């Protein structure tokens, strides 16, 4: 695992040139990876925010939300396996929610695999709570989805990082 200082970590909107690096992370992070087309769809998405985390010139993480009326739907988040457990996802989520809130979103929701303890803990640390389970939601392995909500994004404040 890399233990590079995060001082130079920055977030920027997704660019086409970053898609190959994103796909490399995606294929080792998700059992049903997004396609290249799905990431391309995020380029300049009129109702979406998609950020890429860059550390020393390298793509190390990415994540996105769709802005649906006044709800921020978290669509994906992943950190390169070499850079996990260093707080990068926490910073990225914070950036996404700050931007979503600035766009007028008042709450946030997401779906996550029931077995994905790491992600569930991450979301809980932001105030999301489990609202429902969608049985056998994921077609690749019939796994249940947990639906989580952050009901009050309006009064949410970013954590001190
Ligand atoms: C989930 C994921 C994004 C977390 O990224 P990360 O940068 O390692 O997370 P952070 O270091 O910011 O951790 C933030 C908090 O999340 C929780 N967390 C993260 N990884 C965890 C793990 N392996 N086990 C338990 N809790 C974990 C902890 O509460 C952690 O806080 P702490 O370090 O103070 O205990 C990363 O593991 C990943 O990319 N997984 C594969 C893709 C995925 O599952 N995405 C979510 C799809 S919904």
């Amino acid at each position: 695992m890399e233990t590079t200082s995060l001082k130079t970590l920055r977030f920027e909107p997704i660019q086409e040139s970053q898609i190959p690096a994103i796909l490399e992370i995606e294929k080792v992070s998700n059992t049903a990876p997004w396609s290249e087309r799905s990431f391309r769809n995020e380029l300049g998405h009129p109702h979406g925010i998609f950020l890429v985390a860059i550390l020393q010139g390298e793509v190390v993480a990415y994540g996105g939300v769709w802005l649906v009326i006044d709800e921020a739907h978290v669509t994906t988040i992943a950190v390169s396996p070499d850079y996990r457990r260093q707080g990068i996802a926490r910073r990225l989520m914070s950036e996404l929610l700050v931007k979503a809130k600035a766009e007028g979103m008042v709450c946030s929701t997401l779906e996550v695999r029931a077995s994905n303890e790491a992600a569930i803990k991450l979301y809980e640390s932001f105030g999301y709570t489990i609202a429902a389970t969608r049985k056998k939601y994921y077609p690749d392995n019939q796994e249940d989805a947990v639906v989580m909500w952050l009901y009050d994004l309006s009064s949410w404040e970013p954590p001190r990082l």
Side-chain angles (χ1 to χ4, degrees):
M1 182 167 103
E2 302 285 335
T3 48
T4 322
S5 158
L6 297 188
K7 275 190 196 140
T8 63
L9 184 72
R10 62 189 170 84
F11 301 96
E12 59 180 43
I14 183 173
Q15 296 174 34
E16 191 170 16
S17 62
Q18 295 162 339
I19 291 179
I22 290 172
L23 287 169
E24 286 301 308
I25 298 174
E26 179 69 3
K27 74 181 179 200
V28 293
S29 298
N30 282 312
T31 51
W34 276 26
S35 65
E36 179 175 345
R37 192 171 168 190
S38 301
F39 288 108
R40 283 188 177 279
N41 191 40
E42 300 299 323
L43 294 164
H45 194 302
H47 304 292
I49 301 166
F50 199 98
L51 297 178
V52 175
I54 311 284
L55 189 60
Q56 294 177 341
E58 188 185 344
V59 171
V60 294
Y62 50 85
V65 295
W66 283 342
L67 309 175
V68 182
I69 317 287
D70 57 4
E71 301 171 351
H73 289 235
V74 178
T75 54
T76 189
I77 182 163
V79 175
S80 165
D82 289 343
Y83 292 91
R84 289 183 188 162
R85 292 317 296 263
Q86 296 180 54
I88 293 178
R90 181 166 283 143
R91 286 164 196 247
L92 178 54
M93 274 297 293
S94 185
E95 286 279 320
L96 287 169
L97 291 180
V98 164
K99 286 189 167 9
K101 187 175 165 178
E103 293 285 337
M105 301 300 108
V106 302
C107 55
S108 177
T109 186
L110 55 88
E111 279 143 9
V112 53
R113 287 176 192 261
S115 68
N116 195 344
E117 255 181 68
I120 292 171
K121 282 205 163 33
L122 167 71
Y123 301 137
E124 283 176 340
S125 77
F126 276 83
Y128 288 82
T129 53
I130 294 176
T133 300
R134 295 199 172 118
K135 291 281 173 203
K136 300 185 177 177
Y137 180 78
Y138 294 99
D140 62 322
N141 65 353
Q142 306 292 304
E143 186 171 357
D144 295 351
V146 168
V147 180
M148 301 184 80
W149 277 91
L150 173 60
Y151 290 107
D152 189 3
L153 182 57
S154 314
S155 52
W156 172 86
E157 292 296 334
R160 282 166 157 252
L161 298 168

